[in-house]
Amino acid sequence: MKHSSDSQQGVSTEAIQASFNQHLRQGMTRKAALHLTIKQQVTAGELCYQAKLPPSRVLAAQLAISRDTVELTYGQLEAEGYIARVVGRGSFVSYQQDTLIGRELLAVDHMGHALLVERELSAHGRSLLIAAHAPHTRRSGSLTPSMPDLRLFPIDSWLQLERQAVRQGAERLLGYADPQGLVELREEIIEYLRRERGVKASAEQVIVVTSSQQALSLCTQVLFNPGDRVFVEEPGYQGAKKLVQSAGLIAQPIGVDQSGMDIDTLVQTKEGGRGVYITPSHHYPLGYSLSIERRLKLLAWAQREKAWIIEDDYDSEFNYNGLTTASLQGLDQYQRTLYIGTFSKSLFPGLRIGFLIVPPQLIPPMVAAKQFQDGYTSALPQMTLFKFINDDFYAEHLRNMRKIYQARLEILHTAVHQYLATWTQPRLPQGGLQLVCPLADAATERQLILAAAAQGMKVYGLIDFYTHPPGEGALVFGFAAYNPDEIVNFIKKLSSIFSTLPESI
Ligand SMILES: Cc1ncc(COP(=O)(O)O)c(C=O)c1O
């Protein structure tokens, strides 16, 4: 259905509203929902070339959102080439379908490259595109959260072990391997987790994967149907939320306080849910641990509703007071918890090895899903990792890194207290790879991030971890991947930028 085939006619706000509401129900922010609605209607040809869009005031009133949100969205669509805004006349669709080597063009990006029309994609392909997001990488003009220091990895020992592994079993390692993972590695992993994390499982329940990301992707495939609701933390890890959305599931945000995810709200959600993705040991990024009372409530809910708990235990190796919280999986008597771990933080993300521990009844479908996804995780790095753990390099590396990261955290904490005290007084967290520095409110966060960006400095804020814009504000600094000079210089530079701003924004 075309909303307007006549360039002079206005576009009906009702047509926009229906799709906008649908995206909102899928857990998108208002701005993202409006952006996607208009973009999809333009590229599908439902909004024709030169069709006039509703004035921002009218559309804002119709959708019950702020005029600012509409203005920002129109601005973004204009920058992307979908619409043109003419002073005194309004906003018009400027995108024209064209053909290139037999394909329709969506638009031309800022480099002049043609983009494909979305409707050529499958429904799943479209949901992947919608959920796409930038990966986290260490940046030099930043203190990127959640990154380990790759410069301190004992690469020579690793390469030596790798050579040894090839010498001892080239034929086995260079051929096809078990989709579930090398049994030696699975045994090492489970022994470590039983001892350190109180996990209750056997090596048969371990599936070696390339990452937490893949583990979660297997869960979405095997456990849920499109349209199912999965609860996620708000704020929380965007990689997980986006992945849940990309699988056609509803990622329903649930708030977090000092005792972790608000399990009462989750339990009382009237639409119900088929699962939950949670970081109970050390919430990402706030660092709280889920209280025992909430753990028991969550387990009882999962048992009652036959829902699945996906526990992401991504950085428990980095606890600086020697007291780690035991896993939720170890407390689960009902076999409703799937436990995800990764070597991306404890070793290096480029290794691409993580693991998924599943209840016994889920082993066959999960292994099948892994096999269909990529066959198996590369065997040579698995064997090298087995040797690295077995020869005690892993324990030694963790001991070293814990000491270094703890010292860096203290340096960052002191620097923030010394140079940014006007804005924030953060508490020292017990662990993790980032420091959250609370601000007066979200508006202050936005102003500080923009002021830093204007000087070429990328600063992360709570907004980067939220689905819906939060009322509260905080800056989030990573410290593990940066040496003391880099940390102190970054904070000093920020301090001089912020000193030009009024003290209360
Ligand atoms: C909560 C959380 N889980 C998982 C990951 C990434 O793990 P992987 O590289 O194994 O996908 C991250 C990375 O930032 C994270 O913050």
Side-chain angles (χ1 to χ4, degrees):
M1 182 193 71
K2 290 189 192 302
H3 304 327
S4 169
S5 54
D6 178 344
S7 61
Q8 297 311 304
Q9 257 176 29
V11 170
S12 99
T13 48
E14 286 74 20
I16 292 181
Q17 184 159 31
S19 160
F20 171 81
N21 286 341
Q22 192 190 350
H23 292 319
L24 276 191
R25 282 195 297 276
Q26 288 165 347
M28 298 183 87
T29 63
R30 295 182 187 93
K31 180 168 172 292
L34 181 57
H35 176 257
L36 185 62
T37 297
I38 297 178
K39 191 173 119 177
Q40 281 180 332
Q41 294 184 353
V42 167
T43 54
E46 291 168 10
L47 289 176
C48 299
Y49 178 53
Q50 290 195 347
K52 186 171 185 205
L53 290 166
S56 58
R57 179 182 38 80
V58 174
L59 190 55
Q62 175 80 21
L63 303 182
I65 60 179
S66 78
R67 194 170 168 190
D68 270 356
T69 304
V70 180
E71 284 288 337
L72 280 171
T73 309
Y74 277 7
Q76 185 181 348
L77 289 163
E78 181 176 40
E80 291 167 339
Y82 295 103
I83 68 171
R85 311 184 76 190
V86 184
V87 180
R89 288 191 49 217
S91 303
F92 301 82
V93 174
S94 59
Y95 155 83
Q96 283 189 79
Q97 288 186 352
D98 198 351
T99 49
L100 176 79
I101 329 171
R103 291 176 182 161
E104 285 173 312
L105 288 184
L106 166 67
V108 171
D109 70 12
H110 65 288
M111 303 285 285
H113 296 141
L115 303 173
L116 273 180
V117 172
E118 279 178 27
R119 71 174 163 198
E120 283 190 62
L121 303 175
S122 65
H124 183 57
R126 272 196 298 275
S127 63
L128 295 178
L129 190 63
I130 291 163
H133 63 113
H136 243 179
T137 49
R138 180 187 186 280
R139 303 176 183 223
S140 52
S142 173
L143 293 181
T144 310
S146 186
M147 279 296 292
D149 195 335
L150 308 179
R151 297 170 293 190
L152 299 178
F153 184 72
I155 191 70
D156 290 338
S157 309
W158 181 268
L159 292 175
Q160 225 172 334
L161 294 173
E162 189 178 71
R163 240 175 280 126
Q164 225 180 63
V166 175
R167 267 203 310 275
Q168 289 166 357
E171 213 170 318
R172 178 177 173 216
L173 300 177
L174 302 185
Y176 285 99
D178 184 347
Q180 194 166 350
L182 297 190
V183 65
E184 305 82 327
L185 178 61
R186 289 192 276 120
E187 275 164 4
E188 264 325 319
I189 288 173
I190 207 66
E191 195 188 310
Y192 175 83
L193 294 175
R194 281 204 213 109
R195 193 176 62 240
E196 298 288 328
R197 315 287 310 116
V199 165
K200 293 200 182 101
S202 65
E204 287 87 73
Q205 291 171 254
V206 180
I207 301 162
V208 178
V209 291
T210 55
S211 56
S212 311
Q213 201 77 14
Q214 183 174 56
L216 183 56
S217 166
L218 297 178
C219 293
T220 62
Q221 277 184 36
V222 170
L223 305 177
F224 309 117
N225 289 311
D228 279 352
R229 189 176 305 273
V230 173
F231 297 110
V232 295
E233 293 160 326
E234 173 87 327
Y237 176 44
Q238 293 289 18
K241 291 188 209 185
K242 299 274 184 179
L243 196 139
V244 166
Q245 286 169 348
S246 77
L249 309 174
I250 299 172
Q252 167 101 31
I254 299 283
V256 170
D257 63 24
Q258 302 207 347
S259 303
M261 193 180 209
D262 178 357
I263 303 301
D264 281 339
T265 300
L266 179 155
V267 170
Q268 286 156 19
T269 299
K270 62 178 187 311
E271 297 88 357
R274 298 285 307 121
V276 55
Y277 163 85
I278 186 166
T279 53
S281 294
H282 189 241
H283 174 267
Y284 186 68
L286 300 178
Y288 301 126
S289 114
L290 189 69
S291 69
I292 182 69
E293 194 194 8
R294 291 187 185 183
R295 282 169 192 245
L296 295 173
K297 268 189 195 162
L298 184 63
L299 290 168
W301 166 82
Q303 163 67 355
R304 203 170 51 244
E305 301 296 323
K306 294 284 166 273
W308 298 106
I309 300 172
I310 302 170
E311 173 177 19
D312 183 0
D313 202 11
Y314 62 105
D315 75 349
S316 288
E317 294 79 20
F318 299 111
N319 202 297
Y320 308 125
N321 64 3
L323 303 167
T324 49
T325 333
S327 68
L328 188 58
Q329 194 274 358
L331 203 60
D332 180 4
Q333 298 173 347
Y334 312 118
Q335 305 283 11
R336 306 300 311 173
T337 306
L338 295 92
Y339 178 97
I340 294 177
T342 179
F343 291 97
S344 287
K345 314 291 161 193
S346 58
L347 295 179
F348 57 101
L351 176 57
R352 294 290 79 195
I353 296 186
F355 44 89
L356 172 63
I357 298 173
V358 301
Q361 72 273 24
L362 291 179
I363 301 170
M366 280 298 177
V367 174
K370 165 68 183 170
Q371 191 170 8
F372 279 116
Q373 213 168 74
D374 62 0
Y376 58 92
T377 300
S378 184
L380 178 54
Q382 284 194 63
M383 183 55 88
T384 312
L385 176 57
F386 158 69
K387 287 174 173 294
F388 195 79
I389 301 174
N390 196 250
D391 292 0
D392 280 340
F393 285 104
Y394 186 61
E396 187 189 335
H397 181 59
L398 286 183
R399 266 197 310 276
N400 292 342
M401 290 301 104
R402 244 181 245 124
K403 262 192 235 136
I404 292 171
Y405 293 167
Q406 181 173 16
R408 290 179 178 185
L409 169 59
E410 283 163 13
I411 287 164
L412 172 62
H413 186 252
T414 307
V416 169
H417 273 271
Q418 190 172 350
Y419 298 107
L420 300 180
T422 321
W423 307 96
T424 179
Q425 309 266 334
R427 278 186 319 111
L428 195 62
Q430 301 294 323
L433 306 178
Q434 51 281 325
L435 175 70
V436 177
C437 302
L439 300 168
D441 50 30
T444 308
E445 176 186 311
R446 197 169 61 239
Q447 293 292 339
L448 296 185
I449 289 174
L450 287 176
Q455 302 300 319
M457 296 175 76
K458 166 74 186 163
V459 177
Y460 292 84
L462 271 193
I463 187 84
D464 294 307
F465 302 88
Y466 269 85
T467 305
H468 300 295
E472 61 204 318
L475 301 181
V476 184
F477 298 123
F479 53 84
Y482 303 87
N483 68 34
D485 282 349
E486 289 169 324
I487 293 172
V488 173
N489 288 340
F490 188 88
I491 298 298
K492 273 186 176 169
K493 210 163 147 197
L494 274 190
S495 158
S496 76
I497 295 171
F498 294 170
S499 67
T500 61
L501 301 170
E503 278 189 17
S504 65
I505 297 175

